[in-house]
Amino acid sequence: FGKLPDGAEVDVYTLSNKNGVEAKITNYGATLTSIKAPDRNGKFDDVVLGYDSIAGYLDKNPHFGSIAGRYANRIANGEFKLGGKTYTLAKNNGPNHLHGGPNGFYKQLWTASDVSGKDGQAVAFKYLSKDGEENYPGNLNVTVTYTLTDKNELKIDYLATTDKETILNLTNHAYFNLAGAGSGDILKHQLKINATQFTPVDKTMIPTGKLENLAGTPMDFSKPTAIGERIDSKYDQLVMGGGYDHNYVLATGGSLTVQAVEAYDPSTGRVMETFTDQPGVQLYTANFLDGTITGKGGKTYPRRSAFCLETQHFPDSPNKPNFPTAVLKPGDKYQTTTIYKFSAR
């Protein structure tokens, strides 16, 4: 896949199933670079934004397909308290810390191994985040395993342990366009999100700590709704985010068999269902892409040309005692699964 500036080789791993579906993941950032899925006529397209080689990911990379960590999403003022101590983190998103900092997991070279088995072809990526890396406490051993099943599911399993109390929130930051990466905006895509509440944010995009009801607001996707239908509403949350960039409180009860999100592209018939045991999902509609990025196949990625569904603990949980805890203690295991399932209708 290319070389890093220090000369280290970067590899890309291809998973395929009996239906011709294919997923590619690189050991740089354990990054998902491609998913090829069929439309209603059986035509395959790559539905994940990214680059053809490592060079793009090293240059302009808005976290395309990467594993965000140690803490995905935002932490207010780049600090949190744990065990009576205050930890100060990099402020790499205005006044806040984002996605683990400027040298987070997405910029690290992971160690890959083939762990294919009865469920399908699979690759596991391991990384040791040392005590003090990006100023987070504890030596953290992380494994992220991608499995492609014959049910056209891309399953992502996260596993981590620590030798010191720390905070952890891992997600995959893939940008999806079910009409094909680089095929224009996703405003006609329809979403259905299994949630009745979301976590409203302040002007720096940090949750206020409240859970607000979605009903009657332009944030509500409880019924299938086109992403573009209300994205430009003069609703304070959408104005502040420049579109959707919000955490939805999932009503799935942590079950991997209850659908969290369904995305549907009417033009191709492609459907992507999301299943997760996480309490939240961040819907982000690529409001900050601006057409200056040239991605795979020389295609440009304009504003709102993708959507992200980042399964997660809530943003700023370490500073919000009423949110589900993101603390990991020695002797405990961080274990979570997200599944993206592809079909067409």
Side-chain angles (χ1 to χ4, degrees):
F1 206 51
K3 286 184 178 176
L4 296 182
D6 66 3
E9 296 252 347
V10 180
D11 299 319
V12 70
Y13 298 81
T14 303
L15 310 177
S16 53
N17 71 7
K18 67 178 186 188
N19 309 315
V21 173
E22 196 179 86
K24 289 179 187 280
I25 310 103
T26 171
N27 56 333
Y28 180 76
T31 296
L32 176 67
T33 64
S34 168
I35 296 175
K36 286 183 179 158
D39 69 5
R40 61 166 71 94
N41 301 315
K43 179 179 177 278
F44 282 80
D45 265 313
D46 186 353
V47 297
V48 172
L49 277 62
Y51 295 101
D52 288 319
S53 74
I54 193 62
Y57 294 94
L58 297 175
D59 180 24
K60 278 189 167 179
N61 185 10
H63 301 277
F64 281 148
S66 59
I67 296 300
R70 279 193 198 190
Y71 201 92
N73 218 308
R74 295 172 177 90
I75 294 178
N77 303 311
E79 65 177 46
F80 66 96
K81 284 191 176 72
L82 193 62
K85 185 179 171 188
T86 298
Y87 291 89
T88 305
L89 308 170
K91 294 178 182 179
N92 59 325
N93 183 248
N96 305 316
H97 178 79
L98 179 69
H99 293 326
N103 289 299
F105 289 1
Y106 73 107
K107 282 199 172 172
Q108 308 305 325
L109 204 57
W110 298 52
T111 304
S113 54
D114 181 351
V115 291
S116 302
K118 62 178 179 9
D119 291 337
Q121 292 191 348
V123 59
F125 296 93
K126 285 185 166 32
Y127 178 65
L128 168 62
S129 174
K130 291 185 175 164
D131 184 22
E133 181 178 275
E134 284 287 355
N135 221 25
Y136 286 93
N139 289 298
L140 186 80
N141 275 292
V142 188
T143 306
V144 178
T145 305
Y146 291 86
T147 307
L148 181 63
T149 75
D150 283 336
K151 294 178 184 168
N152 295 352
E153 299 163 324
L154 183 68
K155 189 166 164 249
I156 310 175
D157 292 299
Y158 304 85
L159 177 67
T161 56
T162 183
D163 63 359
K164 197 188 284 186
E165 192 174 45
T166 190
I167 60 168
L168 187 60
N169 183 30
L170 300 176
T171 195
N172 181 283
H173 203 303
Y175 286 67
F176 296 102
N177 184 326
L178 298 180
S183 66
D185 68 50
I186 42 79
L187 298 178
K188 288 183 177 154
H189 279 49
Q190 293 173 10
L191 284 185
K192 184 172 76 173
I193 302 178
N194 188 351
T196 60
Q197 293 180 308
F198 78 111
T199 52
V201 293
D202 65 20
K203 63 180 186 299
T204 75
M205 303 305 289
I206 291 290
T208 63
K210 291 180 186 158
L211 304 185
E212 208 162 282
N213 290 333
L214 291 160
T217 76
M219 311 295 292
D220 187 5
F221 285 95
S222 54
K223 297 191 180 102
T225 306
I227 291 172
E229 192 170 308
R230 301 169 305 204
I231 197 168
D232 289 318
S233 301
K234 296 292 180 251
Y235 180 71
D236 67 332
Q237 291 294 308
L238 289 171
V239 171
M240 284 188 292
Y244 297 99
D245 191 5
H246 296 80
N247 172 63
Y248 283 73
V249 179
L250 291 171
T252 55
S255 168
L256 278 169
T257 58
V258 179
Q259 188 190 79
V261 188
E262 182 184 271
Y264 169 63
D265 171 40
S267 71
T268 61
R270 282 194 190 93
V271 177
M272 186 181 89
E273 298 172 85
T274 303
F275 300 87
T276 185
D277 50 21
Q278 288 291 281
V281 63
Q282 184 90 0
L283 168 62
Y284 172 55
T285 46
N287 312 309
F288 297 108
L289 291 183
D290 58 5
T292 58
I293 286 177
T294 302
K296 289 182 275 193
K299 290 180 176 173
T300 55
Y301 298 145
R303 187 171 188 235
R304 297 176 177 167
S305 59
F307 63 91
C308 303
L309 294 170
E310 303 155 60
T311 57
Q312 62 178 0
H313 269 57
F314 303 168
D316 202 35
S317 288
N319 296 312
K320 301 285 191 293
N322 58 316
F323 283 1
T325 181
V327 173
L328 179 67
K329 295 180 175 170
D332 291 347
K333 267 185 189 173
Y334 175 97
Q335 207 159 5
T336 169
T337 298
T338 291
I339 298 165
Y340 296 118
K341 183 176 183 178
F342 295 87
S343 59
R345 64 171 181 249

